[in-house]
Amino acid sequence: MKLFDALHPRLTVEPVARQHAPAIQRLAADARVAATTRLPHPYPEDGAVTFVAEATEAWAAGTDFAFAITVDDVCVGTCTLKQVRDGQAELGYWIGVPHWGQGYASWAARLVVTYGFEQLGLARVEAHVLEGNPASGRVLEKLGFAEFRRDAAPCGCGDEGDQAIFYALSADAWSAVL
């Protein structure tokens, strides 16, 4: 299954799979990616293989839906609906540094959020970004997410003491954005 938008046909999102692991490994190993995500640094040597295996199991269980973001069939990052339960999920995404600033996170997040509302029947999607990562906040705001609190960054995200901005988007608000 591949999801795409006719306005950006070179970009697709598809369930993470073994073939994405080498690119995920290379891109996730960059300290600049880890600084804005929950990815550890240094990234473990088997990090991508483990991630793909766990993501595949979680997809089958219906708890997490991890997508590889591809441009011209090259993996440039990931976008995930995590902790799917009770009609809610958390959106997470990252793009490899060589691909920053090209709008890929916005397009991929739009596709994955659409999947969550239309295919999974979600009522609400939440996300958070570090205060020091305004570009990621703009991704969410473009999609109609609204800030609902500021608090300490969740464990494993950024450095100790970092603040995070928490956002939410309801299915009703999403319908209005479309």
Side-chain angles (χ1 to χ4, degrees):
M1 166 189 60
K2 286 188 180 189
L3 306 176
F4 66 94
D5 185 321
L7 296 176
H8 205 308
R10 295 176 45 228
L11 183 142
T12 62
V13 295
E14 60 193 39
V16 294
R18 200 171 304 135
Q19 74 264 22
H20 302 119
I24 290 171
Q25 184 69 40
R26 185 180 69 260
L27 296 169
D30 191 311
R32 294 169 290 180
V33 172
T36 61
T37 65
R38 290 185 180 174
L39 294 175
H41 188 75
Y43 196 65
E45 288 184 30
D46 65 344
V49 170
T50 300
F51 168 69
V52 169
E54 291 173 353
T56 301
E57 289 178 19
W59 190 294
T63 58
D64 291 10
F65 296 84
F67 293 88
I69 303 166
T70 64
V71 178
D72 295 329
D73 295 320
V74 174
C75 181
V76 300
T78 69
C79 190
T80 305
L81 288 170
K82 303 178 270 189
Q83 302 170 9
V84 176
R85 65 178 174 273
D86 301 326
Q88 297 188 53
E90 179 184 352
L91 176 69
Y93 49 87
W94 62 268
I95 301 291
V97 174
H99 311 285
W100 282 3
Q102 298 180 52
Y104 298 150
S106 295
W107 285 98
R110 177 179 301 281
L111 291 169
V112 172
V113 167
T114 299
Y115 178 84
F117 287 131
E118 293 181 2
Q119 302 302 315
L120 302 177
L122 297 176
R124 178 181 170 99
V125 176
E126 294 186 3
H128 69 272
V129 302
L130 294 174
E131 277 185 327
N133 186 4
S136 195
R138 284 191 299 276
V139 166
L140 297 172
E141 291 164 0
K142 280 192 259 182
L143 297 178
F145 280 77
E147 178 182 336
F148 70 91
R149 83 170 195 263
R150 291 176 183 243
D151 206 345
C155 183
C157 189
D159 294 325
E160 188 174 325
D162 281 350
Q163 290 291 299
I165 305 168
F166 293 80
Y167 292 86
L169 178 65
S170 69
D172 291 340
W174 179 248
S175 295
V177 169
L178 295 178

